Amino acid sequence: MKEYQVYLFDMDGTLVNSEPLKGKALSLACRDYGVEVDVDLYKDVMGESWTIVTQYFFKHGNISPELDAFNRYFRGHYELLLAENISLITGVKPYIKALKDAGKTCGVVSSAASWMVDNILQATGLDDAFDVVITQEDVTKHKPDPAAYHLALARLNALPENTLIFEDSNAGVLAGNASGCDVIAIQHAFNGNNDLSCALKRIESYEQVSI
C-alpha cells in the first residue's frame, strides 16, 4: 500500500463500536411513541443521512413524530447507552498515535450531529487527536455525496491522491471514492448488509494496517 500524508476517519463503526448503540437508541425512541421497531432495521440504512435513517424507522413503526421531539428522545437514550457501552475499534488508538508520531494529518468526517461526535471523541480520549472534524451540520449534502470529504480536503489543503479514508458503510465508501481518495473499509458485525466491495481493502481491526 502506498504512503499517504492525510488520514480521514468516519466515526460510528470506524473509530468506535457505536452502530449497534445507535440502532438500539432509535428503537427505544420509537418505543416512546408506543411502537416496537426492530433494532436490526438500522443495518439497512446505516451510514445514510439522518433524514433517511429516521424516516425508515418511522415507516416501519407506522408513526409520524415531529422530528425535533423524536431527536430529543433519541438523544436521551443514546447518551445513556454511550456512557455505559462505548468502546473503540480494536487497535485504533495506537494506530492514530503512530500516525501523529510520524507527522501525518488526521481528521474525522462523520454524518453524525456535532453533539454525537463531540461526546464520543471526548469519552474515548480522542478529542485532541484530529486536525479537522467535519459533522452533519457542516454540509448540506451527505454521504454517499462526497461533499463532507471535499470540505475536509479543502480545510486541510490536502490532495485526494495523498489521502486515505476509513469507512464502514456503503454510503461512506461511495463518498470516499467519489472524492478521489483511496478507501479502506472496516468490517464489523453490524454492517453485513453494506456493499464494501469498492474499498481498496477490508479489515476488522487497525492492527491489520500499517502506516
Side-chain angles (χ1 to χ4, degrees):
M1 193 166 67
K2 73 179 187 182
E3 183 175 345
Y4 302 90
Q5 181 56 41
V6 178
Y7 293 74
L8 300 177
F9 300 82
D10 173 51
M11 186 183 69
D12 294 302
T14 303
L15 291 174
V16 292
N17 291 301
S18 53
E19 297 290 24
L21 306 182
K22 189 177 286 187
K24 186 173 182 179
L26 283 159
S27 180
L28 289 170
C30 288
R31 184 183 294 175
D32 291 326
Y33 288 87
V35 297
E36 295 291 336
V37 181
D38 189 349
V39 61
D40 284 344
L41 280 175
Y42 184 57
K43 295 178 179 179
D44 298 335
V45 287
M46 195 199 77
E48 299 286 353
S49 71
W50 190 243
T51 299
I52 291 175
V53 170
T54 51
Q55 289 302 317
Y56 193 70
F57 272 75
F58 297 168
K59 176 182 177 182
H60 282 268
N62 195 27
I63 55 176
S64 302
E66 196 273 325
L67 186 57
D68 286 344
F70 180 86
N71 284 343
R72 286 193 291 272
Y73 284 120
F74 167 80
R75 180 169 180 168
H77 293 302
Y78 192 46
E79 287 184 324
L80 182 59
L81 290 167
L82 288 173
E84 295 176 345
N85 300 285
I86 193 65
S87 62
L88 291 164
I89 299 294
T90 302
V92 70
K93 240 179 185 176
Y95 184 66
I96 291 174
K97 183 180 185 304
L99 290 175
K100 301 301 288 184
D101 288 347
K104 306 298 184 180
T105 300
C106 297
V108 170
V109 180
S110 174
S111 296
S114 58
W115 69 263
M116 297 187 211
V117 177
D118 291 344
N119 282 6
I120 287 175
L121 293 183
Q122 289 176 18
T124 55
L126 292 174
D127 46 318
D128 293 325
F130 300 104
D131 302 285
V132 68
V133 176
I134 305 296
T135 67
Q136 179 187 107
E137 292 87 348
D138 290 310
V139 292
T140 56
K141 295 181 179 179
H142 302 282
K143 302 172 186 177
D145 191 282
Y149 282 114
H150 285 156
L151 179 59
L153 293 171
R155 288 187 177 177
L156 294 171
N157 195 27
L159 297 173
E161 56 265 33
N162 295 333
T163 302
L164 180 63
I165 290 171
F166 290 89
E167 275 283 358
D168 76 315
S169 69
N170 178 53
V173 171
L174 291 176
N177 284 337
S179 73
C181 302
D182 288 338
V183 183
I184 288 180
I186 305 293
Q187 188 81 60
H188 54 74
F190 215 71
N191 67 349
N193 293 348
N194 282 253
D195 180 5
L196 305 176
S197 61
C198 291
L200 188 66
K201 65 185 295 187
R202 280 176 275 185
I203 62 172
E204 295 180 355
S205 126
Y206 287 91
E207 296 170 343
Q208 296 174 254
V209 288
S210 57
I211 299 173

